């Protein structure tokens, strides 16, 4: 409660003030200290603490773009409660535009971390110990990895009633029911009894205006709903629910051309794309095996047999 001292990273956060703290990652071999800015906006009034987080994977820049717009539009200035923004969580990866930490590990598979583990594990431990206990809700912004392009979506656990309530308020095009991944930030937050929404939108190494707009509007809806800011919740149209999904994989290697729009609902036997050889000798069509929604496509121009091409609903 905000009538008690609110202390984070060893510093008491005054009511009604903006505070920027640094979560120290490590020192480079050049003795330069890398720090992650943590932007805290605390209102004068009591209310929940919401964490908006991006850049767990350093090359997922759409999430960083979403947080940047939220801060620029002053959406993170609450009338009640506290909003914490961490626009670039994996500062190492962001600097060189890579998914991993310098030790080669995926930070999102290292939670809750350990005090004396790998560099990524130690950083995860700092977050779990110093920040996670102080928040009530988390929205974690991600994109598809590599050339995998995700339609804006919220992912929640099957049995997460509070998460589903907030996902509906966020109002993304797609709501995907998926279990927590072991040692992910999402699993760690969930085990602490907090509510977490995982946003996926676009692909790595891009700033997609449409995806960023979806993320900003969705986060704003949630903040309004939780009573932190004023405004009207904007609902475009009901979200599509995906309770079970599978990847359609390449049956051949070759040049990959997509024929359908990402996010589309397709009918059984509809042509989704083609795989061609570079010598003009074969062209293999990819058909929808059943009626389904496509919510992720592989944008790479060259694929190998077995590569994931389309992530689709199983109805």
């Amino acid at each position: 409660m905000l009538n008690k001292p609110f202390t984070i990273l060893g510093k008491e956060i005054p009511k009604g003030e903006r505070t920027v703290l640094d979560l120290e990652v490590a020192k480079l071999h050049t003795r330069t200290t890398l720090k992650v800015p943590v932007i805290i906006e605390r209102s004068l009034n009591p209310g929940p603490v919401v964490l908006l987080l991006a850049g767990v994977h350093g090359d997922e820049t759409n999430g960083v773009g979403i947080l940047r717009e939220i801060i620029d539009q002053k959406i993170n200035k609450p009338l009640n409660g506290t909003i914490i923004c961490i626009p670039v969580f994996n500062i190492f990866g962001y600097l060189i535009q890579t998914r991993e930490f310098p030790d080669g590990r995926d930070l999102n598979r290292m939670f809750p971390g350990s005090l004396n583990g790998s560099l990524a594990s130690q950083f995860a431990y700092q977050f779990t110990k110093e920040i996670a206990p102080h928040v009530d809700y988390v929205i974690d912004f991600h994109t598809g990895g590599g050339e995998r392009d995700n339609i804006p979506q919220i992912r929640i656990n099957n049995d997460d009633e509070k998460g589903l309530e907030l996902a509906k308020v966020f109002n993304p095009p797609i709501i995907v029911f998926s279990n927590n991944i072991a040692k992910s930030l999402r699993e760690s937050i969930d085990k602490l009894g907090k509510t977490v929404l995982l946003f996926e939108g676009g692909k790595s190494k891009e700033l997609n205006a449409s995806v960023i707009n979806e993320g900003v509007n969705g986060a704003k809806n949630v903040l309004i709903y939780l009573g932190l800011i004023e405004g009207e919740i904007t609902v475009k149209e009901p979200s599509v629910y995906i309770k079970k999904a599978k990847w359609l994989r390449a049956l051949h290697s070759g040049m990959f051309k997509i024929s359908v729009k990402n996010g589309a609902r397709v009918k059984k036997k509809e042509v989704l794309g083609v795989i061609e050889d570079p010598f003009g000798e074969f062209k293999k069509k990819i058909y929808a095996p059943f009626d389904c929604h496509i919510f992720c496509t592989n944008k790479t121009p060259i694929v190998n047999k077995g590569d994931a091409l389309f992530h689709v609903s199983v109805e």
Side-chain angles (χ1 to χ4, degrees):
M1 297 294 292
L2 288 178
N3 58 353
K4 297 180 180 179
F6 181 64
T7 303
I8 193 167
L9 292 172
K11 182 177 176 60
E12 184 175 338
I13 310 302
K15 291 182 180 180
E17 292 190 16
R18 179 181 192 267
T19 306
V20 180
L21 303 179
D22 289 319
L23 179 61
E24 188 170 322
V25 184
K27 286 187 177 180
L28 301 176
H29 60 276
T30 57
R31 299 184 183 177
T32 302
T33 301
L34 278 187
K35 297 178 180 180
V36 174
V38 179
I39 302 166
I40 304 168
E41 295 275 3
R42 188 184 183 203
S43 75
L44 291 169
N45 304 310
V49 179
V50 178
L51 170 62
L52 306 178
L53 176 75
V56 172
H57 296 123
D59 60 353
E60 296 184 358
T61 44
N62 276 325
V64 180
I66 291 168
L67 264 290
R68 193 265 173 202
E69 290 302 314
I70 286 172
I71 295 167
D72 183 60
Q73 296 177 33
K74 297 181 171 52
I75 295 169
N76 66 318
K77 289 185 175 293
L79 294 175
N80 304 292
T82 300
I83 300 174
I84 302 173
C85 290
I86 306 180
V88 184
F89 192 59
N90 178 358
I91 199 80
F92 273 115
Y94 184 75
L95 287 171
I96 59 174
Q97 284 294 279
T98 186
R99 182 180 180 88
E100 298 83 10
F101 241 55
D103 57 10
R105 288 173 169 83
D106 183 338
L107 178 58
N108 209 27
R109 301 295 182 269
M110 303 305 297
F111 290 89
S114 63
L115 181 61
N116 299 308
S118 68
L119 179 61
S121 183
Q122 289 182 43
F123 184 59
Y125 176 81
Q126 277 186 279
F127 171 82
T128 305
K129 182 173 180 286
E130 300 290 345
I131 295 178
H134 302 288
V135 306
D136 301 304
Y137 302 93
V138 178
I139 306 179
D140 184 15
F141 293 93
H142 287 262
T143 77
E147 291 298 311
R148 293 183 180 182
D149 187 13
N150 280 318
I151 282 295
Q153 59 197 254
I154 289 290
R155 296 184 182 180
I156 56 170
N157 288 333
N158 289 304
D159 58 352
D160 186 357
E161 294 182 5
K162 185 63 176 180
L164 178 57
E165 177 186 332
L166 294 184
K168 290 177 180 177
V169 172
F170 195 107
N171 189 224
I174 303 284
I175 295 175
V176 180
F177 293 87
S178 65
N179 293 327
N180 288 332
I181 296 174
K183 297 186 177 181
S184 65
L185 184 146
R186 177 182 165 201
E187 181 192 57
S188 183
I189 293 291
D190 185 54
K191 285 183 175 180
L192 290 174
K194 320 288 186 175
T195 300
V196 54
L197 299 181
L198 190 148
F199 174 89
E200 289 272 356
K203 65 184 188 68
S204 63
K205 297 183 181 180
E206 73 165 7
L207 289 172
N208 183 307
S210 177
V211 169
I212 290 171
N213 188 55
E214 286 281 355
V216 171
N217 289 340
K220 186 176 180 181
N221 278 352
V222 171
L223 294 173
I224 293 169
Y225 183 77
L226 293 175
L228 282 91
I229 64 174
E230 291 184 332
E232 292 187 5
I233 293 173
T234 304
V235 177
K236 303 177 297 300
E237 57 186 43
S239 304
V240 172
Y241 294 85
I242 295 180
K243 296 187 176 181
K244 187 177 179 182
K246 69 172 293 183
W247 280 99
L248 304 183
R249 297 186 176 273
L251 299 178
H252 309 274
S253 300
M255 301 164 64
F256 176 46
K257 297 180 180 179
I258 299 173
S259 304
V260 292
K261 185 179 179 181
N262 198 7
R265 177 170 173 79
V266 296
K267 296 290 186 180
K268 182 178 180 179
K269 295 186 178 181
E270 187 172 338
V271 177
L272 306 182
V274 296
I275 296 177
E276 307 169 329
D277 75 321
F279 311 109
E281 294 181 356
F282 79 82
K283 177 187 290 187
K284 303 293 184 180
K285 293 181 179 179
I286 304 162
Y287 297 96
F290 39 73
D291 294 357
C292 58
H293 274 96
I294 297 171
F295 61 99
C296 180
T297 59
N298 191 337
K299 302 291 281 291
T300 186
I302 306 296
V303 297
N304 292 307
K305 184 177 181 180
D307 284 355
L309 303 181
F310 301 96
H311 209 182
V312 302
S313 61
V314 178
E315 301 169 6

